[in-house]
Amino acid sequence: MNIGIVGLGLIGGSLGLDLRSQGYQVLGVSRREDTCHMAIETGVVDDASSELKLLAVADVVFICTPIAAIAPTIKQLIPHLSPDAIITDVGSVKTPIVESVAPLWHNFVGGHPMSGTAESGLSAAQRNLFAGNPYVLTPIETTPLKAVEQVEQIARSLQAKIYHCRPLDHDRAVSLISHLPVMVSAGLIAACTSEGDPAVLELAQNLASSGFRDTSRVGGGNPELGVMMARYNRQELLRSLHRYRYQLDELIAQIEQEDWNALEQQLQNNREARSHFSSCKG
Ligand code: NAP
């Protein structure tokens, strides 16, 4: 089977490494010629080009560009594809992509491999990036079952754990466990740095330890990624932020009213609830 990958960065490159080792013929397309040469030299792809016509022989194409380029790339790709080809994408937000691409190409399956690192670009690509992690597929009523099964089979070969859900449910869930933490953590850093007394701020900076390091990590990351989350998952992120503000107000009220029983009960509930989130188990 010929697999095409458009966008040879962290995710596209890591896919290429794993899929080639599974015996698939992998054809890569990326914007820059340098990236294409490097992808061939490092064994990420069998062949690469900056031109989409390379994918005329592809059976399944993974679109791994930044989110903003996914739908425009698919529009440019369609004239080159065979009519039975399946397109899937790896974008971290699903509703806007599925809504814009499904009407263009019948055999389209929205996808999101929930794996990554803090790095980006082809040099950050690594083997087994997807193993053991969730891979979400977001078919809609009109998505052909055969196309879903084909993409699922490939995702399974990466040793990923497959989940199926509606695009909107994906975006809601991801806003809660991925995009909300970035904004909460960003707010935490901003709250600390807004301390008006320079001596207290300096002392806080010197005393900061593992608690601050852990809770500030995602809010102090790549600003482009944070803006991407807010821009493409705006509705769901706002919904999560309003929920968070409600919880913050509850905590403030409990502390203002010195309602230590209510606060303790809330913290007990949270301790138990946290263990139900997969990365916090065990
Ligand atoms: P990345 O490392 O920056 O890679 C994207 C690559 O796409 C770039 O290296 C660039 O390569 C190429 N590219 C950019 N615009 C292009 C275009 N118009 N046409 C063709 N190639 C283009 O980004 P990434 O982290 O792999 O993310 C890619 C996608 O995966 C995004 O949609 C993101 O939402 C999704 N995703 C990311 C993560 C994560 O943790 N990073 C996790 C899951 C899903 P050249 O310019 O060098 O050719």
Side-chain angles (χ1 to χ4, degrees):
M1 181 188 294
N2 295 326
I3 296 193
I5 299 175
V6 186
L8 298 170
L10 167 68
I11 300 294
S14 301
L15 264 176
L17 287 170
D18 282 359
L19 294 177
R20 277 196 81 214
S21 68
Q22 300 287 329
Y24 293 108
Q25 176 81 8
V26 177
L27 304 168
V29 172
S30 213
R31 209 172 30 173
R32 293 182 306 127
E33 291 289 352
D34 281 0
T35 312
C36 297
H37 291 142
M38 186 177 158
I40 296 171
E41 275 166 22
T42 53
V44 164
V45 294
D46 292 284
D47 196 6
S49 167
S50 57
E51 302 209 14
L52 289 163
K53 66 181 181 203
L54 180 74
L55 304 183
V57 294
D59 301 296
V60 179
V61 181
F62 285 77
I63 310 294
C64 304
T65 65
I67 290 183
I70 291 177
T73 299
I74 290 174
K75 277 188 197 146
Q76 291 166 23
L77 172 68
I78 282 173
H80 301 285
L81 285 185
S82 91
D84 295 331
I86 295 168
I87 304 178
T88 184
D89 78 304
V90 299
S92 320
V93 174
K94 297 276 47 97
T95 308
I97 293 173
V98 174
E99 279 178 357
S100 55
V101 174
L104 303 176
W105 193 252
H106 187 55
N107 264 338
F108 173 73
V109 184
H112 179 199
M114 300 198 59
S115 303
T117 69
E119 311 298 318
S120 64
L122 183 59
S123 55
Q126 53 180 260
R127 290 178 199 281
N128 298 320
L129 182 69
F130 310 99
N133 293 328
Y135 197 123
V136 189
L137 298 179
T138 61
I140 55 175
E141 295 76 39
T142 52
T143 315
L145 190 60
K146 265 179 84 172
V148 181
E149 285 170 353
Q150 180 66 82
V151 176
E152 178 168 336
Q153 187 201 320
I154 297 169
R156 268 190 207 289
S157 78
L158 304 169
Q159 313 297 327
K161 291 189 237 167
I162 312 297
Y163 292 86
H164 287 232
C165 66
R166 296 187 309 155
L168 181 63
D169 291 341
H170 166 277
D171 293 351
R172 284 201 165 155
V174 164
S175 87
L176 285 169
I177 51 83
S178 175
H179 303 171
L180 177 63
V182 169
M183 299 303 153
V184 168
S185 173
L188 169 85
I189 299 169
C192 291
T193 51
S194 70
E195 167 57 48
D197 182 336
V200 173
L201 176 58
E202 192 184 341
L203 186 61
Q205 288 166 335
N206 290 333
L207 299 183
S209 183
S210 56
F212 184 81
R213 187 191 58 216
D214 294 346
T215 51
S216 64
R217 184 177 63 81
V218 292
N222 182 350
E224 275 175 37
L225 275 183
V227 173
M228 180 278 293
M229 293 165 181
R231 194 165 170 185
Y232 291 97
N233 205 16
R234 181 172 168 272
Q235 272 317 107
E236 302 318 314
L237 178 56
L238 283 173
R239 180 177 179 269
S240 300
L241 279 166
H242 285 298
R243 251 163 217 271
Y244 179 68
R245 182 155 71 184
Y246 174 79
Q247 293 300 330
L248 209 51
D249 285 341
E250 290 279 291
L251 290 169
I252 289 171
Q254 287 160 0
I255 296 168
E256 276 177 350
Q257 291 156 21
E258 302 190 23
D259 190 349
W260 310 130
N261 286 340
L263 179 62
E264 186 176 356
Q265 189 58 55
Q266 179 65 59
L267 296 177
Q268 284 285 4
N269 293 347
N270 292 349
R271 180 147 75 173
E272 205 276 321
R274 183 172 184 268
S275 66
H276 295 288
F277 290 79
S278 67
S279 59
C280 311
K281 280 181 181 158

